[in-house]
């Protein structure tokens, strides 16, 4: 794409038996006065060992709720209404709470969006890193402290021997996010969830954090699920992309395939909205007209129909499933370009 200067990489070949996280038909609802809001609707996704998967979409698309649901955490009065989340062959949604607590941090960990509210303000960095190390790895305090200092060094914290005894408010926003990454990686989890980890950071620090997640994921052999609305960051980070809209995945594929040949009109809109940084600048930035639908009143057909400039007859009546496209392992929930396409442009 001309819209981004980031290098695109072909997704590495990975054996099917390397699947570490298998999500099937995951659904999450929130009660509202107007009826249940389907924040996540029958989402399925497979993540392979060592793979980097980006979940992208506008605010309200369901991507953050989806990531929290993987840990069995749903804010407010929301509830997981269906599906399964298999990590290393075990369904996390069926585990008793005491067993699930052992899995969180040890096998799957999360880097939250705002370290300012996620870190405990009255505990030092040392206490907040050492505690999960001792709990999950069984190390003594001295060994755990030494491991914590190594993790802070890996994540780029300057003078880690001193800063490990700092409180969160004594660190910059970028340093606090690096501490969050160190905590998440402290027990070498199989899967690392990163929910909009660069939102509150400036552009330079954003790039550093994304590169850090990529590098440390490789070094620790952790699969990384990166939740973001920034397609530019996706290009430099991910092996695969899952595009969410109105609680559903509408396109999934390798980063190279999706950026070079997007198959869903919504994906094309997201890519077209990336500001051009080389060549002639447009007079106006491209945007996707309209607003996402209300989750309490989704259209009977494709949820993107009210905003779609490529809709055809039948799109507003029949909801398209994720279907394979010409490239292997590339799917899109769109009737365009499929044998099911009928009629003319609406």
């Amino acid at each position: 794409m001309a819209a981004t200067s980031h290098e695109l990489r072909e997704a590495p070949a990975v054996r099917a038996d390397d699947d570490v996280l298998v999500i099937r038909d995951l659904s999450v609802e929130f009660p509202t006065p107007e009826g249940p809001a389907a924040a996540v609707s029958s989402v399925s996704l497979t993540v392979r060992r060592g793979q980097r998967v980006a979940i992208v979409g506008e605010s309200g698309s369901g991507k953050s709720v989806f990531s929290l649901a993987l840990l069995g955490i749903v804010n407010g009065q929301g509830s997981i209404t269906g599906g399964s989340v298999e990590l290393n062959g075990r369904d996390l949604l069926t585990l008793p709470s005491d067993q699930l607590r052992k899995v969180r941090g040890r096998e799957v960990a999360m880097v939250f969006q705002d370290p300012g509210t996620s870190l405990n303000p009255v505990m030092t960095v040392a206490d907040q890193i050492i505690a999960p190390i001792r709990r999950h790895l069984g190390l003594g305090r001295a060994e755990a402290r030494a491991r914590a200092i190594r993790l802070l060094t890996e994540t780029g914290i300057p003078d880690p021997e001193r800063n490990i005894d700092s409180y969160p408010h004594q660190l910059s926003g970028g340093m606090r996010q690096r501490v969050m990454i160190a905590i998440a990686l402290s027990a070498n989890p199989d899967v690392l969830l990163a929910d909009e980890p660069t939102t509150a950071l400036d552009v330079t620090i954003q790039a550093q954090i994304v590169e850090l997640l990529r590098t440390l994921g490789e070094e620790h052999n952790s699969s990384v699920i990166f939740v973001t609305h920034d397609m530019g960051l996706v290009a430099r980070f991910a092996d695969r992309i899952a595009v969410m809209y109105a609680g559903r995945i509408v396109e999934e594929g390798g980063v190279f395939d999706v950026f070079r040949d997007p198959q869903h009109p919504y994906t094309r809109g997201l890519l077209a909205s990336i500001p051009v940084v080389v060549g002639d600048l447009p007079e106006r930035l491209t945007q996707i007209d309209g607003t996402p639908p209300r989750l309490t009143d989704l259209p009977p057909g494709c949820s993107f129909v009210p905003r779609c400039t490529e809709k055809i007859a039948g799109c507003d009546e029949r909801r398209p499933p994720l279907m394979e496209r010409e490239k292997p392992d590339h799917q899109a929930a769109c009737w365009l370009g499929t044998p099911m396409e009928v009629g003319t442009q609406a």
Side-chain angles (χ1 to χ4, degrees), residues 122-189:
V122 298
M123 293 177 63
T124 65
V125 169
D127 289 335
Q128 296 185 65
I129 301 182
I130 290 172
I133 292 175
R134 298 193 67 185
R135 179 169 64 251
H136 294 300
L137 301 184
L139 300 181
R141 186 165 183 84
E143 291 176 296
R145 182 180 174 89
R147 178 176 176 80
I149 291 173
R150 288 197 302 272
L151 286 164
L152 292 179
T153 302
E154 286 183 15
T155 55
I157 295 289
D159 195 2
E161 291 85 357
R162 179 178 63 83
N163 278 316
I164 193 172
D165 293 313
S166 299
Y167 288 90
H169 73 272
Q170 296 174 308
L171 305 177
S172 68
M175 289 174 67
R176 286 196 293 268
Q177 195 59 280
R178 291 169 189 271
V179 169
M180 287 292 299
I181 295 172
I183 293 172
L185 289 171
S186 61
N188 277 334

Side-chain angles (χ1 to χ4, degrees), residues 193-210:
L193 305 174
D195 180 19
E196 299 269 16
T198 62
T199 296
L201 306 176
D202 65 48
V203 175
T204 302
I205 303 300
Q206 284 183 2
Q208 293 174 3
I209 294 298
V210 170

